[in-house]
Amino acid sequence: MARDLSIPVETRILPVSSDNLGHFENPQNLYTWRVNISQGSDSVRHLREAAGALRSRESPVGFPTETVYGLGADATRSGAVKGIYAAKGRPSDNPLIIHVADLSMLDSILRGERHDSTQTQERSQSQLLPEIYKPVIERFWPGPLTILLKNPMQTVLAPEVTAGLSTFGVRMPASPLARSLIKLVEAPLAAPSANASTKPSPTTAQHVLEDLDGRIELILDGGPCSVGVESTVVDGLSDPPVVLRPGGVSIDELRACPGWGNVQKAYKDAAELGKEAPRAPGMKYKHYSPKAKVVLYEATFADGRQGVLSEDIKAFRREWSAAREGSSKQGPRIGIIRTRFWGPGGGIGPTETTSESFVARAGTDMQGAVDLEIKQIKPTNGALGNGAEDILDISIGADTRSIAKGLFSALRELDRRGADIIFVEGTLDDEDIGAAVMNRLRKAASQVRA
Ligand code: TXA
Ligand code: MG
């Protein structure tokens, strides 16, 4: 029976270092991932505790992958998978991605067999894997690419994973920590991002705790994620193949693979959204959203329209005061997230910094995390009117990879500091993984300036 979520549990964070956790027997074919269990470290002890819980209990476990933190459950047990939907408050008609440790595990699923890790014999490359996927698996696995496959008739996957569809989505994460956890469970893990439904995805263990404290028992902490946005989801079973969700592998990288030259977009990008009616201000899109209202500036707009941000900030402050009829002495808390073109304060004019601090974001790699710098700034020329409050200003970098790494952390940090509105400078869809960044931002925004 599923746990009663109205009674909070104690949520524990267990640190795990990725050093020396295991290896592929043959890195060329990714067939067998071996966990270094003889290593008697705390990391292995923590991994084993989490794996034990995943095998026997119904409470999902938070764990890092290279994209975002996942909320994992044994994909072969219905009760365990239901625990994910309950903990997240996620509608159950949305299918979940499963994660495998190695190709031998995927092979077992395609054969409709339970995974048996004592079966060490390497079988010939499975005939069950469609040809179209071989070049992309070779190029991007382990990594941020999810492929759709036909669910076999006699499947080991719980029906709650696929939400009634005839296909399932699967990936092999680049994180050795994630692969070792899966290997110790000896079953694929179903795992959506470990945020509460509608919130920005988590890229640190702390983010998971913020959302799910008291709702899950364990979070493995492997440090900040290295990519910062979710995997790219592709359907190679349709002809031509399509990208269902842009993510950590760009469409240009996919196009370079044999059979994928004509891959199509099955999601809405700037061009598609441009054909739609303009979005009404205040309309709330419940996805990847902080509590604050998000206003997104398309990169092309942010580039050419100096001064528009200060006008927008002034207008928001007027609305804010009018709605409160002078009853509030404090003005709104304003947050700014900058990428390529905007200077401090988004170019509202000269500013002074009143305080600065740092917060962890996704790192360049699991070890060398790069922090985000948050500045509290004040316009010095009265550009926003007298008595304007400090603005919270975060630069998440100029190149697309660093923007992807910092995005969710920056949204969450401004929320934590009580921002009422966040103005975000966008990036370009066709630059590397910019499509993934803009896809998430357009969903988080209640207003898009283009
Ligand atoms: O990077 C990621 O992919 C993260 C980390 C934790 O691995 N996981 C993640 O999972 O984002 P989730 O469950 O939140 O995303 C699942 C996405 C959804 O957009 C869903 O619609 C699509 O994959 N999906 C999954 N199975 C599908 C299927 N059989 N057919 C079509 N879409 C599917
Ligand atoms: Mg998600």
Side-chain angles (χ1 to χ4, degrees), residues 7 10 33 42 49 74 98 116 127 135 214 238 242 247 276 278 292 322 338 344-345 354 358 406 408 429-431:
I7 305 163
E10 187 203 346
W33 174 254
D42 279 353
E49 178 175 348
D74 179 345
I98 66 163
D116 176 4
Q127 298 306 306
S238 65
V242 293
E276 290 182 357
R338 305 186 274 125
T354 52
F358 294 88
F408 290 138
D429 278 83
D430 53 9
E431 200 167 283

Side-chain angles (χ1 to χ4, degrees), residues 88 90 192-193 195 201 230 245 287-288:
K88 277 194 67 141
R90 170 171 168 135
S193 49
N195 51 287
S201 299
E230 296 86 345
R245 176 180 74 180
H287 220 94
Y288 304 107

Side-chain angles (χ1 to χ4, degrees), residues 42-62:
D42 279 353
S43 292
V44 170
R45 210 162 42 74
H46 291 162
L47 274 178
R48 294 183 94 153
E49 178 175 348
L54 284 163
R55 271 214 295 257
S56 59
R57 304 169 64 88
E58 317 227 305
S59 175
V61 171

Side-chain angles (χ1 to χ4, degrees), residues 136-154:
V136 291
I137 286 178
E138 185 170 333
R139 171 90 167 73
F140 303 113
W141 278 13
L145 182 77
T146 297
I147 62 173
L148 292 196
L149 288 165
K150 268 216 176 68
N151 204 6
M153 290 298 278
Q154 295 293 322

Side-chain angles (χ1 to χ4, degrees), residues 400-442:
T400 311
R401 293 274 160 177
S402 114
I403 294 168
K405 275 174 214 165
L407 176 68
F408 290 138
S409 270
L411 287 171
R412 280 180 171 268
E413 185 60 21
L414 290 175
D415 233 5
R416 229 176 46 77
R417 292 176 182 233
D420 298 296
I421 190 163
I422 305 174
F423 296 95
V424 186
E425 178 192 356
T427 185
L428 297 166
D429 278 83
D430 53 9
E431 200 167 283
D432 195 12
I433 56 170
V437 170
M438 291 308 288
N439 173 268
R440 310 307 186 264
L441 278 173
R442 292 186 189 113

Side-chain angles (χ1 to χ4, degrees), residues 238-253:
S238 65
D239 186 17
V242 293
V243 176
L244 297 175
R245 176 180 74 180
V249 169
S250 75
I251 199 156
D252 286 338
E253 289 175 298

